[in-house]
C-alpha cells in the first residue's frame, strides 16, 4: 500500500505545478484511489485504536502505550517519504513525587518546494480513559464497525482525522506536528513551538487542526472560534485518614458536606454562574453577530436526539448556540477522595477535592477569573463556620481562540467542502478548548483553521465514541481537495502584481 501511495504522492508533489484551476481529472483519480483503498485505511485506524494511548492516567504502563503510539505514527510518516524528527519532551513530576516521561512530539516534513504553499497540520494521538464496563457496547480499543459506524476510543478524537490527513494526497508542502499529551494539557508543547518558531515553522503559510465535530450528522462545518478553559480544584480537609460514620458521624464538620455546599454554590439550575463579576467582561451581543447564529443550520430535534438529552436549558437555536459559544459556562466534573465503588461503605472521607471548570469567552482574563472564584468560595465556606481547611487552586488557565474567516485558507476550505460535499459549510464556533490553536496564533502569528470531519453524534470523550466510515473516507477526499485549493490561492498570490 505504501509504495502505491508514494507513487501517487510523487505525481502530485513533483509532477505538477499549481494549476490555473483545480484539475478535475487528477482530483477524480485521487478520489477513486481513496475509495478503492478505504478498507486499508480503516485497517490502519483499527491498528491505531488498538493502542491504549491514555494520557490522563499517569501510570507507567499507559505511558509506554503513548510512546508506542508516537513511534507507530512516526513510522507511518516515514513510509510516505516524510523526514521525521522525534523530539524528546522531558518528564512530568507528579503530585506524589514520582516522575514519568512525557511522550515525544513528532515534527515531520513532506515536500520542501519553495514555490508551493506549506500547510502545517496539528494532531494529537492520546485519548481519554475508556473501559468497557463503563458502558461501552464493544471493547473501546478494538475498532468495531456497525452499520457504517467505526466504534473505538480515539476514532474521532483524534486518530481518525490524523489518518485522514495522511490518507490525502497533496500538491503542497506538508508539515506535521503531532503530540501525545493534548488531553492532559499539552505538556511542554508551547515551549517546543517557541523553540521551533524560526526553524520548523519558519516556512509555514497555514496551520490546520481537525479536532472538532460538525454541528449536524451530514452537513460539514468550518470553525472560527473556541472557548478557553479555567480548571479548578477545591479541597476540603479535616485529616488525611477517613472516619467511621458510626463513630464520628454527628460530632464533626464533614469535609464532603462542606464540599457539596461549595460546589452547589457555583451554578444555579438554569446554568447561570453564581460567581460575582464573572460576566462583567463578556462582550455585548451585536446585531451582526446575531445574524450569524440565525444562519447556522441546526435541527434542534436532531441535535437533542443525537445528544440523547430530553430537554435543553434553552428553547431556541440562537439561545443554545450563544450559550455554547459566546457565554461562559461552569461544569462540575467530579470529586476525588469520595467512595464511588459499588456497595455500601459507611465512611466519612477525611479529605475530598472537587473538580470544576469554567469555559471562557473573548475578553475574559484567567487571572481575574481565578481571583473571582477563590473569593466566592471563601465567602461560601466562611458562612458554614466549618473547622475544616479549604483551599482553591487553578490547574489550567487557557484563553479562547478566534480566527479571521476572510483568510485564504478559510476560502480554500469552503471551496473544497463544496467540491466534496456539494454544499456550503456551516460557519460555527466550538464551546470546547484546544490550547494549541491560541499558542500557534500568538507565537507563529499565522492563520489557524479548524477543519473538522466528525459528525455531531460521534461522542468524543464519551462511551461508544465512533467515526462514520463515510466521514472518515470523505474527509480524506476533503483534505486532498483542500490542498488543491490552497495551491491555487497560493499560486494566484505569487503571480499577482505587487
Amino acid at each position: 500500500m505504501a509504495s502505491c501511495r508514494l507513487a501517487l504522492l510523487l505525481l502530485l508533489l513533483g509532477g505538477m505545478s499549481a494549476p490555473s484551476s483545480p484539475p478535475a481529472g487528477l482530483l477524480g483519480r485521487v478520489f477513486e484511489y481513496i475509495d478503492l483503498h478505504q478498507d486499508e485505511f480503516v485497517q490502519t485506524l483499527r491498528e491505531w485504536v488498538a493502542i491504549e494511548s491514555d494520557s490522563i492516567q499517569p501510570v507507567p504502563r499507559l505511558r509506554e502505550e503513548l510512546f508506542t503510539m508516537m513511534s507507530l505514527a512516526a513510522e507511518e510518516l516515514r513510509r510516505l517519504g516524510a523526514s521525521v524528527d522525534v523530539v524528546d519532551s522531558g518528564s512530568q513530576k507528579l503530585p506524589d513525587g514520582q516522575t514519568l516521561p512525557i511522550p515525544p512530539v513528532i515534527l515531520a516534513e513532506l515536500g520542501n518546494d519553495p514555490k508551493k504553499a506549506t500547510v502545517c497540520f496539528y494532531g494529537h494521538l492520546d485519548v481519554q480513559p475508556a473501559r468497557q464496563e463503563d458502558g461501552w457496547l464493544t471493547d473501546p480499543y478494538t475498532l468495531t464497525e456497525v452499520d457504517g459506524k467505526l466504534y473505538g476510543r480515539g476514532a474521532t478524537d483524534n486518530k481518525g482525522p490524523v489518518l485522514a490527513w495522511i490518507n490525502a494526497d497533496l500538491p503542497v508542502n506538508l508539515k506535521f506536528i503531532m503530540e501525545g499529551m493534548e488531553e492532559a494539557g499539552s505538556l511542554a508543547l508551547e515551549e517546543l513551538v517557541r523553540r521551533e518558531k524560526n526553524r520548523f515553522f519558519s516556512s509555514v503559510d497555514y496551520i490546520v487542526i481537525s479536532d472538532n465535530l460538525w454541528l449536524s450528522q451530514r452537513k460539514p462545518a468550518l470553525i472560527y472560534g473556541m472557548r478557553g478553559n479555567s480548571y479548578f480544584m477545591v479541597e476540603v480537609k479535616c485529616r488525611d485518614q477517613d472516619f467511621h460514620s458510626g463513630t464520628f458521624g454527628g460530632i464533626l464538620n464533614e469535609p464532603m458536606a462542606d464540599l457539596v455546599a461549595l460546589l452547589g454554590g457555583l451554578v444555579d439550575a438554569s446554568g447561570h454562574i453564581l460567581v460575582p463579576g464573572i460576566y462583567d467582561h463578556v462582550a455585548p451581543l451585536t446585531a451582526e453577530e446575531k445574524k450569524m447564529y440565525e444562519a447556522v443550520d441546526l435541527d434542534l430535534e436532531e441535535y437533542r436526539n443525537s445528544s440523547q438529552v430530553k430537554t435543553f436549558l434553552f428553547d431556541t437555536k440562537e439561545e443554545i448556540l450563544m450559550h455554547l459559544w459566546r457565554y461562559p459556562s461552569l461544569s462540575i466534573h467530579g470529586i476525588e477522595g469520595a467512595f464511588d465503588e459499588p456497595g455500601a461503605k459507611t465512611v466519612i472521607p477525611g479529605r475530598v477535592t472537587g473538580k470544576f471548570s469554567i469555559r471562557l469567552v473573548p475578553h475574559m482574563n484567567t487571572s481575574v477569573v481565578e481571583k473571582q472564584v477563590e473569593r466566592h468560595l471563601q465567602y461560601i465556606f466562611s458562612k458554614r463556620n466549618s473547622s475544616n481547611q479549604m483551599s482553591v487552586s487553578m490547574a489550567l488557565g487557557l484563553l479562547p481562540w478566534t480566527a479571521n474567516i476572510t483568510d485564504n485558507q478559510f476560502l480554500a476550505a469552503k471551496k473544497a467542502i463544496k467540491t466534496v460535499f456539494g454544499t456550503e459549510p456551516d460557519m460555527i464556533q466550538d464551546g470546547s478548548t484546544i490550547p494549541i490553536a491560541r499558542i500557534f496564533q500568538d507565537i507563529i502569528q499565522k492563520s489557524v483553521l479548524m477543519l473538522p470531519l466528525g459528525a455531531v453524534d460521534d461522542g468524543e470523550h464519551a462511551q461508544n465514541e465512533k467515526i462514520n466510515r463515510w466521514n472518515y473516507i470523505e474527509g480524506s477526499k476533503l483534505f486532498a481537495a483542500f490542498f488543491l485549493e490552497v495551491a491555487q490561492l497560493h499560486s494566484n498570490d505569487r503571480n499577482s502584481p505587487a
Side-chain angles (χ1 to χ4, degrees), residues 392-450:
V392 184
S393 62
M394 187 174 73
L396 284 175
L398 305 171
L399 294 170
W401 162 81
T402 305
N404 180 1
I405 61 175
T406 64
D407 283 343
N408 268 355
Q409 64 173 346
F410 274 88
L411 302 178
K414 285 182 179 180
K415 291 181 180 179
I417 286 172
K418 183 73 171 178
T419 297
V420 175
F421 297 101
T423 185
E424 295 290 330
D426 278 329
M427 298 300 296
I428 67 174
Q429 299 185 59
D430 190 324
S432 58
T433 308
I434 299 179
I436 193 63
R438 182 66 183 253
I439 291 172
F440 280 145
Q441 193 162 283
D442 289 349
I443 297 174
I444 304 175
Q445 298 183 337
K446 296 291 184 179
S447 171
V448 178
L449 167 71
M450 297 278 186

Side-chain angles (χ1 to χ4, degrees), residues 251-323:
I251 64 170
L252 51 75
N253 295 118
E254 298 190 8
M256 181 70 86
D258 284 342
L259 182 60
V260 168
L262 290 167
L263 297 177
L266 290 171
V267 62
D268 67 18
S270 68
H272 183 81
I273 302 173
L274 300 175
V275 178
I278 202 73
Y279 294 97
D280 288 355
H281 294 98
V282 177
L285 179 66
T286 65
E288 182 180 0
E289 182 188 357
K290 189 175 181 182
K291 287 180 181 177
M292 294 187 72
Y293 299 122
E294 294 169 354
V296 174
D297 182 13
L298 175 64
D299 184 323
L300 283 184
E301 189 65 25
E302 177 190 282
Y303 190 55
R304 265 192 295 267
N305 291 338
S306 66
S307 304
Q308 299 181 35
V309 174
K310 183 178 179 180
T311 306
F312 289 120
L313 293 176
F314 306 97
D315 298 323
T316 68
K317 172 185 71 175
E318 291 78 14
E319 286 180 306
I320 286 175
L321 294 179
M322 285 191 287
H323 283 85

Side-chain angles (χ1 to χ4, degrees), residues 136-306:
W136 283 75
L137 299 177
T138 59
D139 177 1
Y141 296 104
T142 300
L143 192 73
T144 305
E145 184 167 7
V146 179
D147 298 329
K149 298 177 174 63
L150 304 168
Y151 291 93
R153 176 58 91 218
T156 197
D157 183 17
N158 184 230
K159 295 178 181 180
V162 168
L163 277 171
W165 276 92
I166 294 176
N167 296 339
D169 293 287
L170 55 154
V172 297
N173 304 316
L174 184 61
K175 293 193 173 189
F176 289 90
I177 174 170
M178 298 182 189
E179 67 159 322
M181 292 295 287
E182 190 271 347
E183 303 290 3
S186 295
L187 301 180
L189 191 62
E190 181 174 353
E191 179 185 344
L192 182 142
V193 172
R194 290 185 186 279
R195 192 168 64 243
E196 293 289 338
K197 175 183 177 180
N198 297 318
R199 192 190 71 86
F200 181 78
F201 295 106
S202 62
S203 61
V204 169
D205 298 298
Y206 310 106
I207 300 168
V208 184
I209 300 171
S210 296
D211 193 17
N212 318 80
L213 302 178
W214 300 346
L215 202 57
S216 74
Q217 293 184 20
R218 300 290 289 187
K219 187 175 181 182
L222 288 176
I223 293 172
Y224 63 91
M226 301 189 74
R227 292 189 292 188
N229 191 12
S230 288
Y231 198 105
F232 290 91
M233 311 282 197
V234 53
E235 179 188 86
V236 181
K237 176 183 176 181
C238 179
R239 68 177 192 183
D240 290 327
Q241 266 184 295
D242 291 342
F243 298 90
H244 189 299
S245 64
T247 305
F248 290 94
I251 64 170
L252 51 75
N253 295 118
E254 298 190 8
M256 181 70 86
D258 284 342
L259 182 60
V260 168
L262 290 167
L263 297 177
L266 290 171
V267 62
D268 67 18
S270 68
H272 183 81
I273 302 173
L274 300 175
V275 178
I278 202 73
Y279 294 97
D280 288 355
H281 294 98
V282 177
L285 179 66
T286 65
E288 182 180 0
E289 182 188 357
K290 189 175 181 182
K291 287 180 181 177
M292 294 187 72
Y293 299 122
E294 294 169 354
V296 174
D297 182 13
L298 175 64
D299 184 323
L300 283 184
E301 189 65 25
E302 177 190 282
Y303 190 55
R304 265 192 295 267
N305 291 338
S306 66

Side-chain angles (χ1 to χ4, degrees), residues 110-130:
L110 191 58
N112 56 7
D113 187 340
K115 296 180 180 178
K116 294 178 180 178
T118 298
V119 178
C120 179
F121 170 73
Y122 162 83
H124 70 90
L125 301 172
D126 58 319
V127 299
Q128 289 278 329

Side-chain angles (χ1 to χ4, degrees), residues 347-369:
V347 65
I348 299 172
R351 174 167 59 179
V352 285
T353 302
K355 304 177 182 183
F356 65 95
S357 67
I358 299 176
R359 296 288 176 174
L360 309 179
V361 297
H363 309 304
M364 294 180 74
N365 181 290
T366 54
S367 61
V368 171
V369 170

